[in-house]
């Protein structure tokens, strides 16, 4: 029996992977996080290895390896853009903490995010408590997204 690796989808949109091996095709689908709870699926080790070597789903933070052991460390070592992976994989709780913290720390953390879908996830999380954010934070979020602050949450 193949070793299983837990992969999570932190963003609130769905994601799927089609894995072809030995003439068979298998599809794995993550529906996305709901109410801050990530969607977690177990996949065979060879699928996780294939994703690390042949796709950008880890580099772009689309999927997150959630276990921390020797096997997952090996897989993470195979991720070509490990820094991008770490900067673009945030849970809803982590984003809320960034947004409600110090504005300078918030700016520094958000500037590390390079993937548009992660940026959109940040804005979706921010929209749930936008009335509690200062004007400075809202203006920065709008500038960061490249939109006018009046349409940021439209």
């Amino acid at each position: 029996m193949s070793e299983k690796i837990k992969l999570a989808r932190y963003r609130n949109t769905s994601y799927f992977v089609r894995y072809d091996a030995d003439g068979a095709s298998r599809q794995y689908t993550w529906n996305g996080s709901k109410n801050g709870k990530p969607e977690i699926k177990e996949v065979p080790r060879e699928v996780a290895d294939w994703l690390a070597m042949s796709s950008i789903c880890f580099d772009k933070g689309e999927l997150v390896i959630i276990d921390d052991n020797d096997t997952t460390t090996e897989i993470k070592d195979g991720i070509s853009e490990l820094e991008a992976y770490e900067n673009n994989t945030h849970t809803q709780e982590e984003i809320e903490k960034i947004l409600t913290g110090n504005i300078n720390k918030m700016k520094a953390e958000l500037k590390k995010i390079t993937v548009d879908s992660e940026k959109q996830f940040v804005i979706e999380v921010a929209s749930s408590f936008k009335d509690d954010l200062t004007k400075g934070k809202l203006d920065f979020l709008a500038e960061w997204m490249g939109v006018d602050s009046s349409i940021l949450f439209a």
Side-chain angles (χ1 to χ4, degrees), residues 11 100 112:
R11 297 178 191 149
T100 57
K112 293 177 188 176

Side-chain angles (χ1 to χ4, degrees), residues 99 110 123 126 133 137-145 152:
L99 293 173
L110 294 182
I123 296 304
L133 296 174
K137 287 182 179 183
L138 292 172
D139 289 344
F140 173 78
L141 288 171
E143 179 185 319
W144 180 66
M145 287 298 291
L152 180 63

Side-chain angles (χ1 to χ4, degrees), residues 89-117:
T89 54
H90 297 90
T91 63
Q92 180 175 332
E93 186 178 276
E94 290 169 336
I95 292 171
E96 288 173 359
K97 186 177 178 185
I98 290 169
L99 293 173
T100 57
N102 175 288
I103 189 168
N104 291 327
K105 182 152 175 56
M106 179 191 90
K107 288 178 179 181
E109 289 298 314
L110 294 182
K111 285 180 180 178
K112 293 177 188 176
I113 296 174
T114 57
V115 176
D116 289 341
S117 57

Side-chain angles (χ1 to χ4, degrees), residues 3-148:
E3 183 177 8
K4 298 284 188 177
I5 305 296
K6 289 182 183 178
L7 300 178
R9 175 76 172 155
Y10 287 168
R11 297 178 191 149
N12 55 1
T13 55
S14 63
Y15 190 79
F16 80 94
V17 170
R18 181 172 296 125
Y19 176 70
D20 297 316
D22 301 324
S25 182
R26 171 82 193 200
Q27 183 168 309
Y28 299 91
T29 303
W30 288 261
N31 293 320
S33 67
K34 296 220 183 344
N35 299 321
K37 185 176 183 335
E39 167 99 16
I40 299 170
K41 296 242 187 259
E42 285 189 338
V43 300
R45 163 76 190 260
E46 59 269 12
V47 173
D49 286 336
W50 176 80
L51 288 169
M53 291 184 290
S54 304
S55 78
I56 57 170
C57 75
F58 294 130
D59 296 344
K60 300 287 184 182
E62 301 295 345
L63 295 174
V64 181
I65 301 166
I66 59 170
D67 288 332
D68 195 18
N69 56 43
D70 291 342
T71 302
T72 57
T73 300
E74 284 178 31
I75 295 169
K76 286 179 183 177
D77 288 344
I79 296 172
S80 61
E81 297 290 332
L82 190 57
E83 187 175 343
Y85 166 78
E86 291 171 351
N87 290 335
N88 290 290
T89 54
H90 297 90
T91 63
Q92 180 175 332
E93 186 178 276
E94 290 169 336
I95 292 171
E96 288 173 359
K97 186 177 178 185
I98 290 169
L99 293 173
T100 57
N102 175 288
I103 189 168
N104 291 327
K105 182 152 175 56
M106 179 191 90
K107 288 178 179 181
E109 289 298 314
L110 294 182
K111 285 180 180 178
K112 293 177 188 176
I113 296 174
T114 57
V115 176
D116 289 341
S117 57
E118 182 77 355
K119 288 182 174 186
Q120 189 59 44
F121 183 44
V122 169
I123 296 304
E124 288 170 13
V125 171
S127 71
S128 65
F129 57 95
K130 63 185 174 211
D131 296 335
D132 298 332
L133 296 174
T134 64
K135 179 167 176 17
K137 287 182 179 183
L138 292 172
D139 289 344
F140 173 78
L141 288 171
E143 179 185 319
W144 180 66
M145 287 298 291
V147 298
D148 188 78

